[in-house]
Amino acid sequence: MELMEVFAVVVEQQSLNKASQLLNLSQPALSRKIMRLEEDLGVELFKRKGKRLELTRAGEVCYEFALEQKRLEHKLQRALQAFKTDTQQASLIVGASLTTLQSTLPDLLTLFTKEFPTIDIKAVTGKTHEIVSLVKERKVDIGLVASKIDDAHLNCLPLFDDHLCLVLPRIHPLSGQHALDIADLQDLPMILFSRGTWYRILMDELFQRNAVHPDVKMEIDSFEAIIRLVSTCQTATLLPQSYLRRNLIEDNELTVRHIPALQQTKRTTSLLYTEEAVLQPATKRFVEQAVLHYRADPAGPFVQL
């Protein structure tokens, strides 16, 4: 490879003297390298006419190969460059509550892996208090929860606010009603998130505060399952705005309705990390990527009411 590079320089300079200066070699040493290459290849590369060098046909073929070799070497170096950075063999463990796993984490992981493909990512799920503990114990590098956490041992970085929304099938009787109120949820057949979760606690507090008692037909811990069942069972549900992508609503023939009282169910989705964890390049870059994403487009693909 070295001899081919030397040969290419001689061809381009059209002079052993100029090439030797460029390569920082003595002219006799350069001549020996060219002779060695000719011996290795078994062909004559130059015709020497006085002080001039003229390529033979074999030399022209060899020069084309040398250029191609140089292009391939540059391509290889570019391909390997990502592995020479501090992200080499880096890994990141993200802890996410179930709600953020379904609503927020997929978008962030898609963006992050596209920008930093060499970083391996592992996701761990749990309830919010479990994710808080995992972050504090350094069992995960960063946490993603639908809550603001006040803890002296953690940094809590708010990403965005959202609230619960009423989701109905398009042909539901309430879908065409001009204005809806929280009282419209009284005895309304609904599928809700499982008890004990943050969003279900918000719902129950909302119902108690407004003395409303919906007819809860099912309790499920999967947003996706709720969406499908609402459509097929012709029931209603309450889901966080951060989960309600436009394509999800359209594909399942649903509609999202505004109820003023639901504004009181505002939740803040946040990143959690320790000071030590954010010193790691992978964690720091994940935090930076999340902040850039939500500052550039706070609404994202969420359904706007």
Side-chain angles (χ1 to χ4, degrees):
M1 184 177 291
E2 179 191 0
L3 293 179
M4 292 297 290
E5 292 174 352
V6 167
F7 165 70
V9 172
V10 173
V11 174
E12 290 161 3
Q13 296 300 314
Q14 298 182 327
S15 165
L16 284 173
N17 183 43
K18 292 180 180 179
S20 64
Q21 293 177 14
L22 188 63
L23 294 168
N24 197 26
L25 291 171
S26 67
Q27 191 165 326
L30 179 56
S31 296
R32 287 194 294 272
K33 287 182 179 292
I34 295 300
M35 290 176 62
R36 179 183 166 188
L37 180 60
E38 289 179 326
E39 290 174 359
D40 289 347
L41 297 176
V43 294
E44 187 180 30
L45 301 174
F46 294 101
K47 289 181 181 178
R48 293 160 179 81
K49 295 185 177 180
K51 293 184 178 181
R52 283 194 313 110
L53 295 176
E54 185 174 306
L55 274 178
T56 63
R57 178 56 188 149
E60 292 174 354
V61 172
C62 190
Y63 179 62
E64 292 173 2
F65 178 84
L67 292 179
E68 181 63 21
Q69 178 179 276
K70 187 183 295 186
R71 283 193 291 270
L72 289 174
E73 184 180 357
H74 288 165
K75 184 177 180 180
L76 174 63
Q77 291 299 329
R78 288 195 299 271
L80 295 178
Q81 189 60 42
F83 296 91
K84 297 179 181 179
T85 66
D86 55 9
T87 62
Q88 182 177 8
Q89 297 180 339
S91 62
L92 181 70
I93 303 177
V94 180
S97 60
L98 185 59
T99 51
T100 58
L101 174 69
Q102 298 179 80
S103 60
T104 309
L105 188 59
D107 286 349
L108 289 181
L109 291 186
T110 299
L111 290 168
F112 188 75
T113 54
K114 183 178 180 180
E115 189 72 20
F116 304 105
T118 61
I119 299 180
D120 294 328
I121 298 180
K122 179 181 178 181
V124 176
T125 61
K127 295 182 178 179
T128 296
H129 72 275
E130 294 173 334
I131 299 302
V132 170
S133 296
L134 289 173
V135 176
K136 290 172 67 174
E137 295 167 7
R138 296 294 305 278
K139 294 181 179 179
V140 300
D141 300 302
I142 197 162
L144 182 66
V145 296
S147 180
K148 281 186 178 180
I149 303 297
D150 185 10
D151 191 303
H153 301 288
L154 294 176
N155 289 318
C156 179
L157 178 64
L159 293 180
F160 63 89
D161 294 333
D162 71 330
H163 55 80
L164 292 172
C165 300
L166 178 64
V167 181
L168 303 162
R170 286 181 186 171
I171 59 174
H172 193 280
L174 293 182
S175 295
Q177 191 166 315
H178 178 65
L180 295 178
D181 186 80
I182 191 67
D184 290 307
L185 302 187
Q186 178 67 31
D187 296 325
L188 181 67
M190 300 189 77
I191 299 174
L192 298 181
F193 212 58
S194 300
R195 292 182 182 274
T197 60
W198 278 107
Y199 282 114
R200 181 57 188 271
I201 292 172
L202 280 177
M203 295 175 196
D204 290 341
E205 290 176 350
L206 173 73
F207 299 147
Q208 183 177 7
R209 187 165 57 246
N210 292 277
V212 171
H213 301 89
D215 180 9
V216 181
K217 297 295 187 182
M218 284 182 266
E219 297 177 340
I220 305 174
D221 62 359
S222 167
F223 287 163
E224 182 179 357
I226 291 175
I227 284 286
R228 292 181 181 276
L229 288 169
V230 164
S231 180
T232 57
C233 298
Q234 295 298 297
T235 55
T237 191
L238 296 176
L239 290 175
Q241 187 184 24
S242 58
Y243 181 69
L244 300 176
R245 280 19 183 201
R246 297 182 185 92
N247 63 322
L248 189 68
I249 295 300
E250 294 171 357
D251 292 347
N252 288 279
E253 298 184 342
L254 302 173
T255 186
V256 180
R257 294 301 309 271
H258 174 66
I259 294 180
L262 294 181
Q263 297 287 344
Q264 301 172 21
T265 62
K266 186 177 74 171
R267 301 288 294 176
T268 300
T269 294
S270 308
L271 288 180
L272 306 178
Y273 53 89
T274 63
E275 291 289 350
E276 296 79 10
V278 83
L279 294 176
Q280 299 299 319
T283 305
K284 182 179 179 181
R285 286 174 175 172
F286 189 90
V287 172
E288 292 172 344
Q289 190 78 8
V291 171
L292 284 173
H293 174 59
Y294 286 105
R295 283 183 179 174
D297 187 8
F302 310 156
V303 171
Q304 298 301 299
L305 300 179

